[in-house]
């Protein structure tokens, strides 16, 4: 199992990525080969300082260029083929690695995923989810959370299929319950998008649709996968992030429930609907976040998630 990491992506690159790899490799049972893609002159001393320079599970791939946060994604990928993101996608597309992780330029990661790796045949639009902590200690899934601000009912219907597959294969949730985020529980409630999406989800035999869910019930156990357009989902995501910030300000961040809102617990966001596993991390990702992103990539590879998505949409 080979996993590539963009070592130059993130506010604290490459130090936190190296620390995250060290944290991951603390478990001697881990056998993944980690491709560290970035400036070797910067990476090697950090590997030495963390005591993992000679670990056979690490391979450094030199990338002399890096894509900054403010660069235009498409232009940067075209003009910087030797960037850590560019080389990462090349390794992924040629099969040298089986998953690619970055906390760098989100736009470049999305462009690379959609145009270098390609969308699974039959998928109208890829989507990005986020994990939602539930009061009972488990996690749910919310999608889309920002990739598709404007959606059609057919796209939301596919998001439900993608989310259901991720919940069952990666999160190991048996027969996940799917719900549509709406302003009321009744089938006729909501805007035109929700009203048109509801019957599609209800008639979709590939999912376990349980109806509408209101935002006040988001953290309860009424649904495992909650579907919405990316505009709505991103607002919910930012609100959830603010909950942890408020908890931290009030010194409540160690609360059993509120602590689970911290981004580092989940690592990153997978792009669902593309041919191979690609995970995008938060720009402020720390060592724990990077370690969890590697574990997340490992789970996606082990479950053969992308192949199962291809099979679902082929059928």
């Amino acid at each position: 199992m080979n996993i590539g990491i963009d070592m130059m992506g993130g506010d604290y690159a490459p130090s936190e990525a190296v620390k995250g790899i060290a944290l991951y490799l603390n478990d001697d049972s881990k056998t993944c080969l980690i491709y560290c893609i970035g400036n070797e002159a910067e990476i090697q001393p950090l590997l030495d300082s963390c005591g993992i320079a000679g670990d056979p599970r690490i391979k450094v791939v030199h990338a002399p260029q890096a894509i900054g946060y403010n660069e235009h994604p498409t232009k940067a990928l075209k003009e910087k083929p030797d960037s850590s993101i560019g080389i990462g996608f090349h390794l992924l597309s040629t099969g040298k690695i089986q998953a690619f992780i970055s906390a760098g330029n989100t736009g470049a990661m999305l462009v690379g995923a959609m145009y270098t790796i390609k969308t699974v045949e039959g998928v109208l639009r890829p989507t990005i989810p986020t994990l939602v902590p539930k009061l009972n200690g488990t996690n749910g899934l919310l999608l889309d959370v920002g990739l598709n601000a404007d959606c059609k009912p057919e796209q939301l219907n596919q998001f439900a299929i993608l989310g259901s597959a991720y919940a069952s294969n990666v999160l190991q949730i048996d027969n996940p319950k799917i719900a549509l985020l709406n302003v009321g529980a009744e089938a006729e409630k909501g805007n035109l998008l929700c009203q048109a999406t509801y019957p599609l989800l209800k008639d979709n035999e590939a999912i376990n649709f349980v109806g509408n869910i209101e935002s006040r019930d988001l953290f309860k156990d009424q649904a495992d996968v909650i579907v919405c357009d990316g505009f709505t989902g991103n607002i919910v995501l930012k609100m959830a992030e603010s909950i942890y910030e408020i908890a931290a300000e009030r010194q409540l961040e160690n609360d059993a429930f509120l602590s689970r809102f911290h981004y580092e617990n989940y690592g990153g966001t997978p792009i669902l609907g593309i041919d191979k596993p690609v995970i995008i991390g938060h720009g402020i990702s720390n060592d724990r976040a990077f370690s969890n992103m590697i574990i997340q990539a490992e789970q996606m590879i082990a479950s053969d998630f992308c192949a199962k998505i291809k099979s679902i949409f082929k059928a």
Side-chain angles (χ1 to χ4, degrees), residues 13-46:
S15 61
E16 289 303 315
V18 172
K19 292 176 184 177
I21 292 169
L23 185 62
Y24 171 80
L25 294 178
N26 273 340
D27 185 346
D28 292 332
S29 67
K30 299 296 185 182
T31 58
C32 290
L33 178 60
I34 307 298
Y35 280 63
C36 301
I37 309 164
N39 190 320
E40 188 172 4
E42 294 184 47
I43 296 170
Q44 200 60 54
L46 293 170

Side-chain angles (χ1 to χ4, degrees), residues 12-309:
Y12 310 111
S15 61
E16 289 303 315
V18 172
K19 292 176 184 177
I21 292 169
L23 185 62
Y24 171 80
L25 294 178
N26 273 340
D27 185 346
D28 292 332
S29 67
K30 299 296 185 182
T31 58
C32 290
L33 178 60
I34 307 298
Y35 280 63
C36 301
I37 309 164
N39 190 320
E40 188 172 4
E42 294 184 47
I43 296 170
Q44 200 60 54
L46 293 170
L47 293 174
D48 290 334
S49 65
C50 286
I52 56 174
D55 196 303
R57 295 170 291 178
I58 292 177
K59 179 180 177 63
V60 177
V61 179
H62 181 56
Q65 300 174 310
I67 295 177
Y69 279 116
N70 297 322
E71 294 189 64
H72 187 278
T74 305
K75 183 179 178 181
L77 281 172
K78 183 177 180 180
E79 295 181 353
K80 292 184 174 181
D82 290 330
S83 65
S84 49
I85 290 180
I87 290 177
F89 276 116
H90 172 72
L91 293 174
L92 185 61
S93 66
T94 55
K96 299 289 195 325
I97 58 177
Q98 295 159 284
F100 182 43
I101 295 166
S102 175
N105 187 306
T106 300
M109 288 297 291
L110 292 171
V111 170
M114 294 175 65
Y115 296 102
T116 303
I117 305 305
K118 307 295 184 183
T119 303
V120 169
E121 185 176 357
V123 173
L124 298 172
R125 288 282 296 176
T127 179
I128 52 175
T130 188
L131 290 177
V132 177
K134 296 183 186 180
L135 288 166
N136 65 0
T138 63
N139 290 314
L141 199 70
L142 175 71
L143 73 168
D144 184 90
V145 291
L147 183 54
N148 305 282
D150 296 302
C151 293
K152 297 178 180 179
E154 295 80 11
Q155 292 169 337
L156 293 188
N157 190 36
Q158 288 196 350
F159 295 169
I161 296 172
L162 291 167
S164 179
Y166 188 84
S168 59
N169 290 286
V170 181
L171 302 182
Q172 299 295 303
I173 299 174
D174 184 41
N175 194 27
K177 302 186 293 290
I178 316 299
L180 177 66
L181 186 60
N182 208 331
V183 295
E186 298 85 357
E188 66 276 6
K189 282 293 183 74
N191 56 18
L192 294 176
L193 176 62
C194 289
Q195 290 175 17
T197 301
Y198 189 99
L200 294 182
L201 297 177
K202 183 179 179 181
D203 294 339
N204 190 340
E205 296 181 356
I207 61 172
N208 176 22
F209 182 57
V210 296
N212 289 328
I213 187 173
E214 296 182 73
S215 56
R216 64 183 177 185
D217 298 317
L218 198 66
F219 307 116
K220 299 177 183 178
D221 195 33
Q222 292 184 207
D224 299 304
V225 178
I226 302 167
V227 178
C228 62
D229 62 89
F231 182 84
T232 302
N234 193 262
I235 290 174
V236 173
L237 174 62
K238 298 296 172 54
M239 182 200 68
E241 289 177 346
S242 73
I243 290 175
Y244 180 80
E245 292 175 0
I246 293 171
E249 288 176 3
R250 300 193 174 193
Q251 299 182 332
L252 299 171
E253 69 269 28
N254 293 323
D255 177 87
F257 177 65
L258 294 177
S259 64
R260 295 170 55 223
F261 280 83
H262 200 303
Y263 75 93
E264 69 176 14
N265 294 321
Y266 312 112
T269 297
I271 306 176
L272 306 184
I274 59 174
D275 276 338
K276 297 184 180 183
V278 173
I279 296 172
I280 302 174
H282 204 297
I284 59 172
S285 291
N286 60 12
D287 56 350
R288 188 178 175 194
F290 273 103
S291 178
N292 284 331
M293 277 190 273
I294 300 172
I295 293 171
Q296 190 176 9
E298 191 178 34
Q299 291 170 338
M300 290 185 73
I301 297 169
S303 66
D304 207 15
F305 173 74
C306 291
K308 289 175 180 175
I309 290 298

